[in-house]
């Protein structure tokens, strides 16, 4: 029993570390967004869904909701702050239509979290409170992990991983694996189930990255090479024509 408890704690610490890296991984993406002053083809949906997941998971991990899950609460509280910053940056630089869509989703996220928190605080107690908050956290954790599916479709369609950052995929995999183990060891299905799903999805993303990473930017390079080759051929033809003209002038 002592070994299980120790492993449970170790996976919780490792889960905190990998989750923090997961939350920080999009910094590279948002640096690009700020520099270009555009969100390009990046999707804001994963960040809004991650924010909701962090809020609900942080609430679920609180001692009066779910005992022995404080490590879940601390990292998700930190994640909620980080994701809020990302969402606000995305809204600032998104096109008008996307700005409205993400703003509406943000309002919906805050409304859902407020509703769950108020109902669990004033209408439910004990095991019913844990069950209600656990189900809510599980549902939206799965939605969070599933939100990059649109990007996965884009990767398969374009055969390019340009808009699926590697480190984000890597830490989805590591975070899902560690919290899946944490949930199994703690016999907590509300932690194990959604993170098991995340672990599987992270695996799919890494496989796609391995398949298409060499084709990143291939189209641009091909276009450049083609124009360069065409330019060389054109220059050679012009040079040849000029030489012929000079020879004609000498004969005259």
């Amino acid at each position: 029993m002592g070994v299980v408890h120790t492993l449970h704690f170790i996976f919780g610490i490792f889960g905190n570390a990998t989750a923090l890296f997961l939350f920080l991984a999009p910094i590279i993406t948002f640096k690009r967004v700020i520099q270009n002053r555009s969100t390009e083809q990046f999707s804001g949906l994963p960040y809004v869904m991650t924010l909701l997941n962090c809020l609900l998971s942080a609430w679920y991990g609180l001692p009066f909701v779910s005992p022995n899950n404080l490590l879940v609460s601390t990292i998700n509280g930190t994640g909620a702050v980080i994701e809020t910053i990302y969402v606000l940056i995305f809204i600032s630089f998104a096109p008008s239509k996307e700005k409205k869509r993400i703003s509406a989703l943000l309002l919906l996220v805050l409304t859902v979290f407020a509703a769950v928190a108020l109902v669990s605080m004033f209408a439910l107690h004990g095991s019913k409170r844990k069950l209600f908050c656990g189900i809510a956290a599980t549902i939206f954790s799965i939605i969070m992990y599933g939100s990059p599916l649109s990007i996965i479709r884009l990767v398969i369609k374009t055969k390019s991983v340009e808009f699926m950052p590697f480190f984000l995929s890597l830490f989805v995999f590591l975070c899902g694996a560690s919290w899946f183990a944490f949930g199994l060891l703690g016999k907590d299905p509300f932690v194990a189930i959604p993170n098991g799903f995340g672990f599987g999805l992270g695996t799919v993303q890494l496989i796609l990255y391995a398949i298409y990473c060499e084709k990143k930017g291939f189209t641009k390079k091909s276009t450049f090479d083609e124009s360069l080759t065409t330019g060389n051929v054109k220059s050679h033809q012009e040079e040849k024509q000029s030489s012929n003209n000079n020879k004609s002038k000498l004969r005259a």
Side-chain angles (χ1 to χ4, degrees), residues 44-53 55 79-92 98-115 140:
L45 183 61
Y47 308 105
V48 180
M49 291 298 101
T50 302
L51 173 59
L52 179 56
N53 172 67
L55 291 170
V81 175
I82 295 171
E83 296 301 324
T84 299
I85 295 171
Y86 291 155
V87 172
L88 293 177
I89 292 173
F90 191 92
I91 290 172
S92 298
E98 186 70 3
K99 191 190 298 284
K100 292 177 182 177
R101 188 175 79 95
I102 298 301
S103 297
L105 282 172
L106 177 60
L107 182 61
L108 179 62
V109 160
L110 296 176
T111 302
V112 169
F113 172 68
F140 288 103

Side-chain angles (χ1 to χ4, degrees), residues 1-10:
M1 192 69 181
V3 175
V4 173
H5 180 75
T6 302
L7 287 173
H8 183 254
F9 178 74
I10 291 172

Side-chain angles (χ1 to χ4, degrees), residues 10 20 84 97 121 172 178 200 216 245:
I10 291 172
L20 182 60
T84 299
K97 185 178 179 181
M121 275 293 293
V172 165
S178 54
K216 184 176 181 180
N245 289 338

Side-chain angles (χ1 to χ4, degrees), residues 39-96:
T39 56
E40 301 178 55
Q41 292 187 54
F42 291 110
S43 173
L45 183 61
Y47 308 105
V48 180
M49 291 298 101
T50 302
L51 173 59
L52 179 56
N53 172 67
C54 286
L55 291 170
L56 292 173
S57 296
W59 184 260
Y60 174 75
L62 292 174
F64 60 84
V65 177
S66 173
N68 304 318
N69 274 327
L70 191 59
L71 287 172
V72 174
S73 188
T74 52
I75 188 58
N76 281 287
T78 303
V81 175
I82 295 171
E83 296 301 324
T84 299
I85 295 171
Y86 291 155
V87 172
L88 293 177
I89 292 173
F90 191 92
I91 290 172
S92 298
F93 294 105
S96 180

